[in-house]
């Protein structure tokens, strides 16, 4: 039981797909005083979560649509948020993952801004190019293998796929703008924010002791060891993961994303 004299920490992990957020969710949830939920605004996890039927396991969009609708997240996302944050009264901290693209409805952001003392862990991936390629690889694997193929506990050999340079630039631009806009919204509202960078948090193969202590302090829990069994799917360089790498490189060299072509990658995802 928690001490009723100490208020429970309520937190949202502000992030985007393929930024190590599932790793962080599992890592935090392994702490005995933390209850960390998944993408509740998509209907995945939390007290409102709705597991789609098995026949949809190989149909990603249909599966996500089912969960989104039948969990109530499509119609009443703010109610889903409230139920999630009230779901574990015995925990010292309760959190969930909120993706940039799930926070495009202004009414959701306004609701979050009104939640008293809501803390924000902003987990971002600086290498937007690798993130985009990783998302495309995830979709490719889902189409081949179905549910559960987006994350792994052991490295895998991934097939190279084609990447549209124009689509990559468009999505990276949108991603950069979304994370800046949302960060500023919570910052200007006075929310306490802990910013984590994927490349820093996971670069050594495990979370550093100093980063673990910082997370525990931010969430108001005791400093204890935490674990996650997820690893990066592939350590292969971009040129081995992208069929048309030369084309992609040629186009990106004249953009603001040129420096991402040579960015180093951490061990975990």
């Amino acid at each position: 039981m928690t001490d009723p004299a100490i208020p429970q920490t309520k937190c949202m992990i502000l992030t985007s797909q393929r930024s190590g957020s599932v790793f962080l969710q599992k890592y935090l949830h392994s702490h005995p005083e933390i209850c960390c939920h998944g993408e509740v605004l998509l209907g995945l996890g939390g007290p409102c979560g709705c597991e789609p039927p098995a026949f949809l396991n190989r149909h990603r969009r249909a599966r996500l649509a089912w969960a989104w609708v039948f969990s109530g997240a499509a119609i009443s996302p703010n109610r889903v948020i409230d139920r999630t944050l009230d779901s574990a009264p015995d925990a010292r901290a309760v959190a969930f993952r909120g993706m940039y693209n799930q926070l495009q409805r202004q009414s959701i952001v306004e609701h979050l801004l009104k939640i008293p003392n809501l803390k924000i862990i902003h987990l971002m991936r600086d290498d937007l190019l690798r993130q985009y390629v990783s998302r495309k690889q995830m979709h490719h694997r889902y189409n081949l293998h179905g549910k559960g193929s987006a994350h792994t506990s052991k490295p895998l050999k991934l097939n190279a796929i084609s990447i549209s340079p124009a689509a990559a630039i468009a999505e990276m631009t949108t991603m950069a703008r979304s994370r800046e806009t949302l960060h500023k919204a919570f910052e200007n509202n006075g929310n306490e924010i802990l910013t984590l960078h994927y490349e820093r948090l996971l670069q050594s193969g495990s979370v550093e002791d100093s980063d673990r202590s910082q997370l525990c302090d931010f969430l108001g829990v005791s400093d204890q060891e935490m674990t996650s069994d997820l690893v990066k799917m592939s350590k292969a360089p971009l040129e081995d993961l992208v069929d048309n790498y030369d084309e992609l490189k040629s186009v990106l060299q004249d953009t603001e994303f040129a420096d991402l072509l040579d960015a180093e990658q951490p061990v975990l995802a």
Side-chain angles (χ1 to χ4, degrees):
M1 295 291 290
T2 59
D3 185 344
I6 303 176
Q8 182 186 65
T9 300
K10 298 183 185 298
C11 178
M12 180 179 71
I13 301 172
L14 175 64
T15 189
S16 55
Q17 290 83 359
R18 313 311 293 176
S19 291
S21 65
V22 177
F23 173 93
L24 182 60
Q25 176 193 338
K26 285 176 169 284
Y27 182 76
L28 294 177
H29 196 68
S30 72
H31 193 294
E33 300 171 16
I34 302 174
C35 178
C36 192
H37 298 290
E39 296 179 58
V40 299
L41 289 172
L42 201 57
L44 302 175
C48 303
C50 181
E51 181 64 25
F55 71 83
L56 291 178
N57 283 350
R58 285 187 175 271
H59 305 279
R60 177 178 170 273
R61 291 184 181 276
R63 184 173 181 275
L64 294 179
W66 178 289
W68 187 54
V69 171
F70 286 98
S71 67
I75 299 175
S76 304
N78 295 341
R79 179 173 176 271
V80 168
I81 292 171
D82 291 343
R83 285 192 59 190
T84 298
L85 293 176
D86 291 337
S87 64
D90 291 337
R92 286 290 309 115
V94 179
F96 69 94
R97 293 189 289 135
M99 303 293 176
Y100 301 153
N101 60 357
Q102 297 162 12
L103 300 175
Q104 297 306 304
R105 289 161 66 174
Q106 187 60 30
S107 59
I108 298 177
V109 177
E110 290 175 353
H111 181 73
L112 288 166
L113 294 175
K114 293 177 182 176
I115 296 175
N117 303 313
L118 179 68
K119 292 189 174 185
I120 305 295
I121 295 176
H122 191 180
L123 174 62
M124 64 176 71
R125 187 166 182 170
D126 297 324
D127 191 340
L128 295 174
L129 176 58
R130 185 81 181 205
Q131 181 179 9
Y132 178 76
V133 172
S134 181
R135 287 188 65 183
K136 287 301 184 182
Q137 284 281 3
M138 176 191 70
H139 295 163
H140 179 69
R141 280 186 53 77
Y142 202 110
N143 290 336
L144 290 176
H145 305 292
K147 176 192 172 186
S149 60
H151 307 97
T152 182
S153 58
K154 61 181 180 180
L156 302 172
K157 179 175 176 54
L158 300 179
N159 296 323
I161 59 174
S162 293
I163 296 293
S164 163
I169 291 171
E171 182 155 332
M172 288 189 291
T173 301
T174 298
M175 187 76 68
R177 290 175 180 170
S178 293
R179 71 184 182 189
E180 180 181 4
T181 299
L182 288 166
H183 188 100
K184 284 185 176 180
F186 289 107
E187 185 177 56
N188 293 339
N189 189 57
N191 293 81
E192 191 174 350
I193 303 174
L194 173 62
T195 300
L196 301 177
H197 295 268
Y198 168 94
E199 289 81 1
R200 154 68 185 170
L201 186 66
L202 303 171
Q203 64 184 345
S204 66
S206 62
V207 178
E208 297 288 343
D209 289 347
S210 58
D211 293 324
R212 183 201 68 231
S213 297
Q214 185 181 35
L215 276 165
C216 290
D217 182 65
F218 184 77
L219 293 173
V221 299
S222 59
D223 189 350
Q224 299 188 36
E225 290 291 336
M226 296 179 277
T227 61
S228 177
D229 62 346
L230 297 183
V231 300
K232 187 175 181 64
M233 280 189 177
S234 173
K235 302 176 187 178
L238 278 176
E239 47 263 57
D240 291 347
L241 297 175
V242 180
D243 261 337
N244 57 326
Y245 179 77
D246 290 341
E247 176 194 8
L248 181 66
K249 181 177 180 179
S250 176
V251 174
L252 288 183
Q253 281 177 336
D254 296 325
T255 72
E256 61 184 292
F257 304 111
D259 60 329
L260 299 180
L261 292 165
D262 301 314
E264 294 184 359
Q265 300 305 317
V267 175
L268 296 176

